[in-house]
Amino acid sequence: MDPEGSRIQDDPDVRVMMAGSTLRKVKSKSWKKPRHFRLLEDGLTFWYKSRWAGRSHSTFSVTEVEAVREGHQSEVLLSLAEEFPADVCFTLVFRGRQGNLDLVAESPEEAKAWIQGVRKVIHKAQTMDAKERLDQYPFTVVHFRVWWVWDWFQKADKNKDGKMNFKEVRTLLKMMNVEMNEEHALRLFTMADKSESGSLEIEQFVHFYKILTQRDEVWKVFQDYSGDGEKLLLDELESFLSIEQQEGEQSSRRAQELIDRYEPSETAKKQSAMSLDGFQIYLCSREGSVFNPEHRELHQDMNQPLSHYFISSSHNTYLLEDQLRGQSSLEAYIQALKRGCRCVEVDCWDGSDGEPVVYHGHTLTSKILFRDVISTLKEYAFKASDFPVILSLENHCCLEQQTVMAQHLSQILGDVLLTSLLDGQVPQQLPSPQELRGKVLLKAKKINGPGDCVDETLMDEVSDEEETANDDAESLPTEDPSAECLKKSKCKLSRELSDLVVYCKSVHFQGFEHARSQAKCYEMSSFSESKAKKLAKDAGTDFVQYNTRQLTRIYPGGRRTDSSNYNPQEMWNVGCQIVALNFQTAGLEMDLNDGLFGQNGCCGYVLKPDFMRDANTQFGPEKPKELRGYKPLRLSIQVISGQQLPKVNQKEGSIVDPLVRVEIYGVPQDQAKEETSHINNNGFNPVWNETLNFVIHAPDLALVRFEVEDYDKASRNDFIGQFTLPFTCIQAGYRHIHLLSKDGTAIPPSSLFVNISISELE
C-alpha cells in the first residue's frame, strides 16, 4: 500500500472537500449562484451540481487544475471585493485555454480548507510514481488510482454499486474508443470475473483493463532481446539500448539506472534484470519519450548577446479572444508568462480619469488599467523562467498619461525594471540573458541613445505597428482614424518614459545597408508579417546577418482580426528573435512555438544555430547546401501503434478512424509531410506498422510535428492530438510520443509508439 495515498484521504482539508460544501460560483457582478461541490472518493474527481438541477451534475479532474489562487486574484472577484471579503474567495486555474472557476465560500475556514485541500490533491496527482500511474505492479485500490481508468469505471458503473456487469463493460469499451466484437469482449470479461458473479469489482476490473491494454508490439520488441522470453538480463538490456536506442557508450550505465528506476519486481531487480512490465513502464517514461530529456533541461549557453537567441513572444498579450470584440484581461498576461513567454505587448491609450488603459484601440475590446497590467507582470514575470522579460510598449497616450505610465513602471517594478546600462558603457553588443536575469526591459521609443544626456522633449513618430502599416499589403487601414493627424502634428514623447528604455530602443527600419553602417545594437525594429516575408525572400542572407547584431520583432498582419497566426518558422529561418504570436489562439502556429521553446528548460530563450550567430554568415534559407559543413540527414519514422486516442465525436457508438501525419517545418527545401493509412473503428490500440521517410537539409532549424486525425472521406478530418519538437531534440529508437490537445495540454494516456532512425544521407 502507498502510505501517502492513504494519508491523503485522512487529511482534514481533504475530508472537508469529500464531505462537500456549498460554494458560490461567480461569473460576473450579476451571476453569483450557489453550487454544491465535493471531492469524490477517488481523490481525483470534483463533482458539483445546483440544487435545482435534478439528477444532472458536472465533474472535472484534479489533473485539469493547474493552481489555486487565494483572495481577489481575478478580475471578477476583484470587482466584487466590497461584497465578498478576500478571505472567502479563491480561483481554480485550469490548464490550457479553459476558463477559470471563481468561487466564494461561506466562511474563511471553509475557503482555507478548500484552498489547501485542492493544493494537496494536485500535488498528490503530480507526484504519483510512474509505476502507479501505469498500473503495472501489484494491483490494489490505492495503486489503481490512475485518474483516467478510474474515470472510465465511474462513468460505466451506471447504477453506482461499485460493480460492473457485462452491459456496462460494453458501454465502457465504446467510451474507451475501441470497437470490439461482443464475443471477444465477453471472453475477456469472463477471464477477469474470478468470482463468477457476472460482474467485476474494482480489482477485477483492473485485471480486465490489464488484459485489454496488453501490448503485443512491445512484447515482440522485448522478445527480440530476451534470451528466455521472461526477462531482459543486464547485458540484454544493454544491447537493446545500444543497438535500438542508439545510446552507445552510456548504455551500460543506463541499463542499470533504468532497472533501478522502472522495474516493479524486487526479484528481478536483485537479478539486475527487467521484466516485460518494467520494459513497458520504461518505454512510456520520460526516458522513453521521443523528446530527449536532457534537452528538456536548461542546457544551452546563456552568456551570448540577446540577439543570438530566439525569444518566445506574444502579440496583443492582453486579449483572450479576437481583436474586435474580445475581452482584455490580466489573465491573458498570466497565462502567457506561465507558458514561458519572454516578450509581452501592452497597447496603451489615454484613460478617461487620467489613468492609462490597455486595449485594442478603436475597437469594442474591453479595457484594463495599465497599472494592473504592470502589477501582474511584477508578480508573474519570473515564475516560469528567470530570464529577462521584454515589455513591448505600443504607446498611444498623451504626454501627461505617458508620465503616469513611467511612474507606474518605476514604482511597481522597482529594481526589477532595468533603467541603466549594466556597466555604464554604451554597448557594442547586447548583454546576455544571464546578465539580465530577473530584469524587465522596456521596448519603446527613446529620445536619444543610452548614456546620452539630452534635455529637450522629442517630437516622436507614431507607434511601431502604425508606422509599418503602409508597408503591409495585408494590413487594414491604420487602426487609429486620427493617425494622419498624428503624423502631421507629431506626438510628444515623455522624457520620463523615454529614460526607462535602455537596450530596446524602437526605431524605423531604413534598410540593411543603413543598418550595417549606422545602426546600433540597442536599436530594434518591428515588421509586419508580410514585410518580413518580403525581406526574407528578397534578401535572406542580409536579414540573417542583421539579426546577428540587432533584435527584430515580427507581428501579425492587420487583417488578422480573428487573432489568427502566421507561420513563425519563416521568420525563424532568417534569425528573427521576437516572432510575436497570438498566444490565445490554438493551432499549428502555436504548436510550432511550443515545440521550439519546449527545449532548454522552457525558459523562453533558445540559442540560434552557430551559422545564425556569425556576423559574416552567408547562410540563406533558400540555399542550405551552401552552408559550411552542410550535411543532410535522413529521418525514418516507423509508426507502429497508437494507445487510447481520445474521441472527437461524442455521439453514441462513434469510434475514430485514426491516421498519423508527420510534418517537417524548416527551410523551404525541408517543408514536407507524409501520412499513414487510416485504421477503421479503433482509437484504442490501432496498429499501422508503416514507415515514413524524410531528408532534412538544415537539421538545426527543423521542427517535426506528429498529428493524429480522425479520417473522414466526406469532409475534413478531425484533429485528435499532436506533438511537435525540434529535430535536434529527437531520441532515436523505440519511443512513445505523448500527445497533446489542440490547447497544447497533455491528454494522457494517449500516445503513439514509433521507431525512429536518423542517419547521414549517402
Side-chain angles (χ1 to χ4, degrees), residues 393-650:
L393 197 63
E394 284 296 318
N395 176 13
H396 306 270
C397 291
C398 67
L399 198 60
E400 292 74 21
Q401 294 204 20
Q402 288 181 47
T403 302
V404 174
M405 286 162 55
Q407 291 169 352
H408 287 325
L409 285 163
S410 299
Q411 292 169 6
I412 295 170
L413 294 178
D415 292 342
V416 168
L417 181 67
L418 187 78
T419 57
S420 60
L421 296 163
L422 290 180
D423 57 6
Q425 302 296 312
V426 177
Q428 298 307 304
Q429 65 176 25
L430 289 167
S432 69
Q434 182 65 34
E435 291 174 296
L436 295 167
R437 277 186 107 127
K439 293 294 184 182
V440 171
L441 279 63
L442 185 64
K443 173 204 161 287
K445 301 286 185 179
K446 186 171 178 66
I447 292 171
N448 44 6
D452 295 342
C453 293
V454 181
D455 293 330
E456 72 271 14
T457 299
L458 177 75
M459 305 297 281
D460 195 54
E461 297 281 341
V462 292
S463 73
D464 290 347
E465 297 196 14
E466 285 169 345
E467 74 179 2
T468 56
N470 293 333
D471 298 325
D472 184 356
E474 294 183 1
S475 231
L476 290 171
T478 183
E479 63 186 22
D480 185 351
S482 62
E484 288 307 311
C485 295
L486 280 169
K487 285 183 178 179
K488 289 173 186 174
S489 66
K490 308 274 185 150
C491 175
K492 289 183 178 180
L493 179 63
S494 158
R495 178 69 202 205
E496 290 87 347
L497 192 59
S498 169
D499 284 348
L500 300 182
V501 179
V502 183
Y503 291 113
C504 298
K505 176 184 177 181
S506 295
V507 299
H508 182 66
F509 178 69
Q510 298 183 54
F512 293 126
E513 194 57 49
H514 175 272
R516 265 189 291 271
S517 59
Q518 303 291 327
K520 308 294 190 296
C521 66
Y522 52 79
E523 294 177 337
M524 60 178 293
S525 300
S526 292
F527 302 91
S528 66
E529 59 175 286
S530 61
K531 178 70 179 289
K533 277 184 186 180
K534 188 173 188 308
L535 288 171
K537 184 179 179 183
D538 296 345
T541 300
D542 287 336
F543 213 166
V544 175
Q545 290 179 353
Y546 172 85
N547 284 321
T548 65
R549 303 182 301 270
Q550 293 174 252
L551 292 175
T552 294
R553 177 176 173 270
I554 314 296
Y555 60 89
R559 292 194 181 277
R560 295 186 182 275
T561 54
D562 59 351
S563 290
S564 61
N565 283 311
Y566 55 90
N567 186 334
Q569 186 68 49
E570 296 176 74
M571 313 307 169
W572 295 327
N573 284 344
V574 286
C576 297
Q577 304 88 351
I578 302 176
V579 181
L581 298 177
N582 290 298
F583 268 49
Q584 73 272 27
T585 305
L588 164 66
E589 298 81 12
M590 276 306 298
D591 293 345
L592 296 177
N593 197 77
D594 291 344
L596 177 67
F597 292 103
Q599 61 184 312
N600 203 32
C602 295
C603 74
Y605 285 82
V606 168
L607 189 64
K608 295 195 285 189
D610 56 3
F611 56 82
M612 289 189 145
R613 309 194 306 263
D614 176 4
N616 299 313
T617 184
Q618 294 305 305
F619 171 78
E622 302 289 341
K623 46 184 182 180
K625 290 182 180 178
E626 296 180 21
L627 187 63
R628 189 172 59 197
Y630 167 71
K631 194 177 288 183
L633 297 174
R634 183 180 298 281
L635 171 64
S636 180
I637 301 170
Q638 181 191 10
V639 181
I640 302 172
S641 62
Q643 293 74 48
Q644 289 144 287
L645 305 175
K647 293 180 73 165
V648 294
N649 188 333
Q650 296 305 317

Side-chain angles (χ1 to χ4, degrees), residues 626-751:
E626 296 180 21
L627 187 63
R628 189 172 59 197
Y630 167 71
K631 194 177 288 183
L633 297 174
R634 183 180 298 281
L635 171 64
S636 180
I637 301 170
Q638 181 191 10
V639 181
I640 302 172
S641 62
Q643 293 74 48
Q644 289 144 287
L645 305 175
K647 293 180 73 165
V648 294
N649 188 333
Q650 296 305 317
K651 282 185 187 173
E652 186 71 31
S654 171
I655 305 292
V656 299
D657 305 320
L659 64 83
V660 178
R661 179 182 296 113
V662 178
E663 303 169 337
I664 310 297
Y665 293 88
V667 297
Q669 203 170 343
D670 286 341
Q671 299 288 128
K673 59 180 68 175
E674 298 286 341
E675 65 184 44
T676 67
S677 58
H678 67 274
I679 304 293
N680 286 322
N681 289 329
N682 190 350
F684 188 73
N685 56 359
V687 175
W688 290 276
N689 277 323
E690 296 180 33
T691 300
L692 310 177
N693 292 301
F694 304 90
V695 174
I696 313 293
H697 298 273
D700 290 335
L701 283 173
L703 293 169
V704 183
R705 183 172 186 260
F706 298 84
E707 183 177 1
V708 186
E709 292 184 349
D710 180 14
Y711 173 76
D712 192 325
K713 64 182 178 182
S715 62
R716 187 175 178 179
N717 294 349
D718 288 321
F719 173 92
I720 292 177
Q722 67 84 30
F723 188 79
T724 306
L725 77 164
F727 176 82
T728 53
C729 296
I730 289 177
Q731 292 200 104
Y734 287 97
R735 303 293 175 184
H736 277 91
I737 297 165
H738 300 283
L739 296 174
L740 304 176
S741 70
K742 194 168 282 187
D743 270 351
T745 55
I747 42 175
S750 300
S751 64

